Amino acid sequence: EVIDVGARKRRFLVKKKLDIIQFSPDGSSILTSLDGNATLLSTSDGKQLWQSEDFNDGCFTSDGKSIIALPLMSPLELVWFDAKNGKKAKSLKWKPPEKADRTAYPQPRAVSPGDGIIYLADGINGGIAPVEAASGRGIRELQIVSTDQEGPFGPCLTKDGKWMAGLSMKAAEEGNTAFTLRLWNTEGWKEEKTITLEPKGPANIPGELSGDGRLFLIGIGQEIRIYRLD
């Protein structure tokens, strides 16, 4: 369901399971996955703009002109798809970090300002791998998830790209969920903080970092919770 917050009314409703939902930087379209295929929808009326069988997940570049994805048939190839039509524009072989347990291939989830770093999230091994967009070199694998948790969710980035947060979760009693938030300084890839959040209610993940990295926002039920990180 897409709601116009300013007008306080529903724009459109999709009565299908959506595996991913990501707004374009200008808010004019939504990248999602319908029936296992990447699909771009218009936010004005929900009209399908295009659908691709080449990939099912990805993320927008910072200017919104392209979508970066790992093709289903070539998981070691980062591909830039044209956001206007879903057609392949360029590609780059990417190299996993040394000693990375590459039993599964992660998916692009975010890009740094200027698209210098692409962040891949690995749901099997529980890590986030930053990759140099120019060379395809995997910088390292940032472990987000411990053995009794699910994830990773995110990553979330500050506007300047200096800070990155990744979430993992563990189901608690009475349907509540305990989250572990890990905050990384991307200039030296140092984990600065590890914080446990127990929101006591269904959470809307992955949440957001404030522009300066001092606050973390996450939706809990009908509320928005704000946590200080400094």
Side-chain angles (χ1 to χ4, degrees):
E1 182 177 20
V2 174
I3 297 174
D4 186 326
V5 177
R8 296 185 179 181
K9 66 178 183 180
R10 177 193 288 176
R11 286 275 185 93
F12 64 89
L13 177 68
V14 178
K15 295 183 178 180
K16 288 186 177 182
K17 180 182 178 182
L18 305 179
D19 294 329
I20 59 168
I21 299 175
Q22 183 181 155
F23 281 91
S24 61
D26 64 1
S28 65
S29 58
I30 296 174
L31 175 65
T32 186
S33 180
L34 284 173
D35 303 320
N37 298 321
T39 306
L40 198 70
L41 305 176
S42 168
T43 53
S44 61
D45 55 10
K47 179 181 178 182
Q48 180 176 304
L49 302 176
W50 53 258
Q51 188 172 67
S52 173
E53 296 181 355
D54 294 328
F55 68 106
N56 62 4
D57 204 346
C59 67
F60 284 98
T61 53
S62 55
D63 61 8
K65 294 181 179 180
S66 301
I67 295 168
I68 303 175
L70 293 176
L72 298 175
M73 302 304 294
S74 184
L76 283 177
E77 180 184 26
L78 282 166
V79 176
W80 280 251
F81 292 91
D82 191 326
K84 291 182 179 179
N85 53 31
K87 302 297 184 182
K88 182 177 179 179
K90 68 174 184 177
S91 63
L92 176 72
K93 293 290 184 182
W94 80 280
K95 311 167 191 67
E98 292 184 8
K99 300 180 181 180
D101 180 10
R102 190 51 55 229
T103 56
Y105 295 99
Q107 290 292 340
R109 283 288 182 266
V111 294
S112 64
D115 303 333
I117 301 293
I118 303 169
Y119 291 89
L120 310 181
D122 186 343
I124 300 297
N125 299 313
I128 291 175
V131 174
E132 292 179 348
S135 65
R137 181 182 70 90
I139 298 172
R140 60 173 296 182
E141 188 116 358
L142 310 176
Q143 193 62 35
I144 304 297
V145 180
S146 60
T147 55
D148 60 344
Q149 295 177 320
E150 299 177 23
F153 303 101
C156 310
L157 299 172
T158 53
K159 290 184 178 180
D160 60 5
K162 180 180 178 181
W163 299 96
M164 183 213 79
L167 273 179
S168 56
M169 60 176 264
K170 179 181 179 181
E173 296 179 358
E174 299 178 359
N176 297 324
T177 303
F179 290 93
T180 300
L181 172 71
R182 289 179 170 84
L183 187 67
W184 298 76
N185 186 326
T186 64
E187 293 182 349
W189 304 110
K190 179 182 178 183
E191 185 176 350
E192 297 284 354
K193 291 182 182 293
T194 302
I195 302 172
T196 300
L197 312 176
E198 296 184 2
K200 297 184 179 180
N204 301 311
I205 49 181
E208 292 289 343
L209 275 174
S210 62
D212 58 8
R214 294 183 177 181
L215 302 174
F216 181 72
L217 296 80
I218 188 169
I220 306 296
Q222 301 298 317
E223 302 176 349
I224 294 178
R225 303 279 180 87
I226 302 175
Y227 296 88
R228 295 192 64 90
L229 302 180
D230 53 12

